């Protein structure tokens, strides 16, 4: 054991900026997962553009077959491959790297990576060969070629191994004294994500293995049970995303403005609530399903008190408050909002963090809770409001936070300057605005009854037509423009990431000033991460974070208004019970 | 924090971090908690006071048996056809059967405004989605399950049933009709 540790000490380099020791295998695996993730993002992004240009009826680019095929490809490449590969990279960062620990079993890490890549390749083949036109949720009796399910299983087993190895890293890091006391909050958030990942992936096994056997004709799968277990996987994995995203928020807050953790107890309890309330998530996909009764639905979406929502509302306060306090510690103490005005808005790490926070909170969070209400779901289920909602959570929130953190990972981990840095400064704005415009347009189309996953809302060859309100066609154009803008933001990100990794100039951590103008400011001069108590700090404690208080009041008012507006519009429809 | 020190999320907090939260945080957590409880309570409340609940009666059904039941329903109350699909005018307040299959809804229903019907939804093959347009009532239709919902049309007119669950390559052609008369 001792030997392994000293070997590690020899192998690993220490980062002069953050002082973190870097295990070389962890660092390579981190980079590989990140690179594959970005490739999947590009595939999913191209599919997204074509989907947008198809659902925008005035363009209607693809034929029906390719619309549904690329819908499947987009869902899988984005929601599963891009996101999960990236999360595995985050786990390598939050574990071995933040804790300056060695990786317990580097070979297992390689095995997991290979499994995930092979699984991905299998799935891509079957989807693009037209043997799995089933959308990412593949509800039976809709059937794909058996190997499609096998590919997903490979991928999931790989991800399971990475998550377990992360947990093992925490154990040996503690044992070998890589850190003392409690782990940093970023790691704690990573741990939350990893635990949820393990539970989620076990759900995955529970559903994909029987489905694989069913596709081979070896057993039966009940369509309703499938939907229940599938969303045990499908939505719990969104909890992984949330936990990973919030960890990244905390991380970026620290790196960009020296944001602090106001209270470890509060933030950690909030993370813990995510784990406790994880399976809630499955139920809100089934609110208008025939298999379960109202008591089951109400209980399982809320466990009687929506504590996972509470958790997000808590982070929604503590993250901006930590940023505000960080800025106040840096001297921006005038008035309520000087900290916000004088924030580094041209640092893509910071702007990405803030835009992600706002989109996730104001749009994603509020719409999610409202449409996940048992009765309100009647006017929402399977309309465009649903993708309108989750493109503000998992895309405007999670994906954007992943993009933002990349601008720090490139110099800190990849040791590369950022290519086209001026473009990088604009990227979070382009992507954020695009996704917001697109999602809001989708949401309103959904209000007019436009369905999701639907090739032709003009019903040109159907028996009957549905004459949508003409506003829908205006909304389609807005949706199209927003989608194209978001695609551009995505493309810029991919180009910058690829160009920097493969053709970037070296970033020299011993002499960061030499890279000025090609890396974010936090990398050149890391804001102070710890402050001794003293008169000044004590005074700031007393003031607290008035700016954040104002922001959450605005947030709360929007939330309450949106909530009641939806109940009101529900009350107008036919009586149903 | 006792020593009033502060640190970022990248720095370990030491072992002693179970400390009282600040006043602003406490208030926010409390307000949020009350709001969460309120949002929970609204759901059972609406079951008692509200007119729109996805409760219904639910049960398993053999898809072929549901198909046969729908055929019988059509025979009993058929009043014609529309685009080749039987039009059915059931008696006020009766049990109504609506079958989803790739890629049509049958039959076309003729209902009376202000009258309550029990509408049974099921599928012969895949998952389908009952999306009543332009009212915007959306219900999942799962093969092997009979979802019987009491519905009372509150306005007269012609309504469409858009399939809003992906059900194969003809999904976007799957649209049905409900006519509501005064
Ligand atoms: C440039 C960015 C993006 C654009 C323009 C975009 C656009 C779209 C469009 C047009 C649809 C089809 C909606 C429908 O017809 O029902 C869609 C579906 C979807 N998108 Fe995106 N998207 C983007 C990024 C993402 C990302 C980053 C993720 C996940 C992390 C994601 C996850 C999904 C999922 C899960 C679906 C549903 C697929 C299905 O219904 O089977 N999207 N997106
Ligand atoms: Cu259908
Ligand atoms: Cu359909």
């Amino acid at each position: 054991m001792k030997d392994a540790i000293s070997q590690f000490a020899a192998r690993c380099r220490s980062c002069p900026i953050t002082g973190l020791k870097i295990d070389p295998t962890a660092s390579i695996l981190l980079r590989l997962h990140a690179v594959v993730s970005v490739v999947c993002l590009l595939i999913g992004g191209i599919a997204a553009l074509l989907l947008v240009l198809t659902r925008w009826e005035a363009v209607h680019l693809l034929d029906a077959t390719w619309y549904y095929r690329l819908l499947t490809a987009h869902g899988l490449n984005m929601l599963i491959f891009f996101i999960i590969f990236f999360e595995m990279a985050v786990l390598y960062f939050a574990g071995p790297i933040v804790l300056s620990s060695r990786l317990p079993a580097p070979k297992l890490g390689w095995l997991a990576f290979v499994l995930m890549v092979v699984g991905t390749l299998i799935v891509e083949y079957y989807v693009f060969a037209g043997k799995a036109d089933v959308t990412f949720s593949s509800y039976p009796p809709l059937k794909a070629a058996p190997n499609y399910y096998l590919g997903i299983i490979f991928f999931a087993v790989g991800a399971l191994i990475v998550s377990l190895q992360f947990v093992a890293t925490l154990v040996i890091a503690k044992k070998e004294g890589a850190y003392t006391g409690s782990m940093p909050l970023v790691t704690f958030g990573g741990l939350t994500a990893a635990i949820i990942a393990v539970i989620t992936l076990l759900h995955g096994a529970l559903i994909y293995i029987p489905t694989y056997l069913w596709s081979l004709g070896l057993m039966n799968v009940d369509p309703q049970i499938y939907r229940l277990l599938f969303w045990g996987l499908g939505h719990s994995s969104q909890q992984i995303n949330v936990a990973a995203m919030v960890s990244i928020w905390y991380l970026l807050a620290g790196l960009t403005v020296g944001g602090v953790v106001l209270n470890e107890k509060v933030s950690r309890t909030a993370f813990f609530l995510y784990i406790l309330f994880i399976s809630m998530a499955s139920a809100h996909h089934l609110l208008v399903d025939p298999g379960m009764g109202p008591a089951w639905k109400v209980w399982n979406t809320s466990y009687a008190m929506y504590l996972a929502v509470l958790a997000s509302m808590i982070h929604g306060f503590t993250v901006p408050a930590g940023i505000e306090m960080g800025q106040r510690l840096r001297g921006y103490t005038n008035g309520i909002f000087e900290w916000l005005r004088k924030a580094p808005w041209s640092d893509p790490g910071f702007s990405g963090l803030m835009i992600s926070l706002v989109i996730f909170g104001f749009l994603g969070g509020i719409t999610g809770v409202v449409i996940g209400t048992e009765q309100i779901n009647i006017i929402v289920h399977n309309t465009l409001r649903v993708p309108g909602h989750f493109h503000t959570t998992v895309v405007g929130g999670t994906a954007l936070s992943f993009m933002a953190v990349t601008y720090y990972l490139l110099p800190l981990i990849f040791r590369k300057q950022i290519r086209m840095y001026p473009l990088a400064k604009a990227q979070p704005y382009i992507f954020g605005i695009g996704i917001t415009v697109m999602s809001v347009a989708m949401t309103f189309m959904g209000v007019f009854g436009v369905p999701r996953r639907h090739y032709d809302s003009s019903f040109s060859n159907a028996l009957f037509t549905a004459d949508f309100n003409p506003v829908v066609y205006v909304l389609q154009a807005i949706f199209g423009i927003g989608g194209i803008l978001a695609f551009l933001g995505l493309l810029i990100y991919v180009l910058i990431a690829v160009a920097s990794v493969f053709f970037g100039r070296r970033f020299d951590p011993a002499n960061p000033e030499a890279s000025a103008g090609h890396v974010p400011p936090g990398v050149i001069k890391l804001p102070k991460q710890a402050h001794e108590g003293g008169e000044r700090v004590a005074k700031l404690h007393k003031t607290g974070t008035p700016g954040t208080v104002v922001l959450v009041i605005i947030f709360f008012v929007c939330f309450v208004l949106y909530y009641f507006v939806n109940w009101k519009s529900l009350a107008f429809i036919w009586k149903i019970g | 924090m006792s020593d009033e020190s502060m640190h970022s999320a990248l720095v370990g907090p030491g072992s002693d971090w179970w400390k009282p939260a600040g006043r602003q945080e406490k208030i926010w957590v409390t307000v949020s908690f009350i709001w969460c409880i309120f949002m929970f309570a609204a759901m059972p409340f609406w079951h008692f006071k509200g007119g729109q609940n996805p409760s219904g009666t639910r049960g398993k059904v053999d898809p072929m048996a549901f198909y046969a039941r729908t055929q019988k329903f059509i025979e009993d109350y058929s009043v014609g056809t529309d685009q080749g699909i039987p039009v059915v005018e059931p008696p006020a307040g009766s049990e109504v059967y609506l079958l989803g299959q790739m890629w049509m809804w049958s039959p076309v229903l003729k209902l009376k405004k202000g009258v309550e019907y029990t509408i049974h939804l099921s599928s012969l093959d895949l998952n389908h989605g009952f999306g009543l347009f332009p009212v915007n009532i959306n219900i999942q239709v799962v093969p092997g399950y009979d979802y019987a919902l009491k519905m009372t049309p509150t306005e007269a007119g012609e309504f469409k049933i858009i399939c809003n669950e992906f059900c194969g390559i003809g999904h976007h052609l799957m649209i049905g009709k409900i006519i509501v008369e005064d």
Side-chain angles (χ1 to χ4, degrees), chain A residues 64-65 68 133-135 139-142 181-186 222-224 227 250-251 255 259-266 268 287-290 292-294 297-298 301-302 304-307 310 313-314 317-318 325 329 369 373-375 378-383 446-449 451 453-456 459 461-468 529-531 533 537-538 541 543-545 549 552 555-556 559-560 563-564 567 570-571 573-577, chain B residues 1 3-22 24-25 28-29 31-33 35-47 50-60 82-83 85 104 108 111 119 125-129 132-155 159-160 162-178 180:
Chain A
T65 304
Y68 293 121
D133 293 334
V134 291
T135 77
Y139 299 134
L142 199 60
S182 295
M183 63 185 88
L185 186 61
V186 169
D222 181 280
Q224 181 72 76
R227 282 175 57 79
Y250 281 113
L251 170 68
L255 291 176
V260 297
V261 183
L262 286 186
N263 185 289
E264 293 276 353
K265 177 178 75 176
V266 172
R268 280 167 204 245
L287 290 172
V288 293
D289 268 37
M292 303 81 183
K297 290 170 180 174
V298 169
T301 40
S302 64
M305 36 197 172
Y306 279 119
L307 288 194
L310 179 68
M313 288 178 79
I314 293 175
F317 180 92
T318 56
M325 189 56 85
L329 284 162
V369 178
T373 302
E374 189 204 5
Q375 294 90 347
I378 296 173
I379 55 173
V380 179
H381 183 71
N382 276 354
T383 67
V447 170
F448 287 106
R453 295 180 163 171
H454 199 277
Y455 174 64
D456 184 12
F459 294 92
N461 293 312
L463 289 184
F464 308 111
T465 58
D467 300 310
F468 290 107
Q529 299 291 305
H531 303 262
V537 175
H541 258 301
T543 332
T545 53
V549 170
V552 296
F555 164 80
F556 193 68
F559 197 165
V560 172
Y563 185 71
F564 285 111
W567 276 113
L570 176 72
I573 68 170
W574 293 10
K575 281 223 164 7
I576 172 168
Chain B
M1 304 187 181
D3 57 354
E4 301 284 334
S5 70
M6 291 199 218
H7 62 269
S8 81
L10 276 153
V11 178
S15 347
D16 175 26
W17 47 264
W18 193 262
K19 293 171 180 156
Q24 291 163 346
E25 269 174 302
W28 177 245
V29 174
V31 169
S32 303
F33 183 65
W35 176 237
C36 287
I37 298 271
F38 175 85
M39 289 192 300
F40 158 71
M43 293 188 284
F45 171 82
W46 200 262
H47 276 279
Q52 296 79 16
N53 290 289
S55 327
T57 42
R58 303 157 315 276
K60 293 196 99 168
D82 186 349
Q83 303 282 336
I85 306 215
M104 61 187 217
V108 169
L111 307 178
I119 301 188
D125 35 53
L126 305 177
N127 272 271
H128 296 283
L132 189 67
F133 175 84
V135 186
N136 218 356
I137 291 178
N138 304 280
I139 305 288
Q140 186 77 23
V141 179
V142 182
Y145 289 80
D146 177 352
Y147 204 170
L149 289 151
K150 291 195 164 58
M151 291 193 205
T152 312
T154 50
E155 57 202 317
F159 301 88
K160 301 293 160 44
I162 299 174
C163 180
N164 62 19
E165 184 57 82
F166 175 64
C167 55
I169 184 66
H171 163 55
H172 50 278
L173 302 174
M174 181 163 167
I175 180 167
K177 194 195 264 190
I178 295 182
V180 177

Side-chain angles (χ1 to χ4, degrees), chain A residues 41 48 51-52 55 67 71 74-75 78-79 82-83 135-136 384 387 390-391 394-395 399 431 435 438 442 452-454 479 483 486-487 490:
Chain A
L41 177 67
L51 292 177
V52 167
R55 291 224 60 170
Y67 165 75
L71 186 65
H74 175 68
M78 293 302 207
L79 197 65
F82 153 62
I83 289 276
T135 77
F136 79 92
L384 269 183
F390 65 68
H391 280 82
V394 74
V395 189
F431 188 72
I435 276 297
M438 181 181 92
M442 281 169 130
R452 70 182 286 200
R453 295 180 163 171
H454 199 277
F479 154 83
F487 172 75
L490 183 150

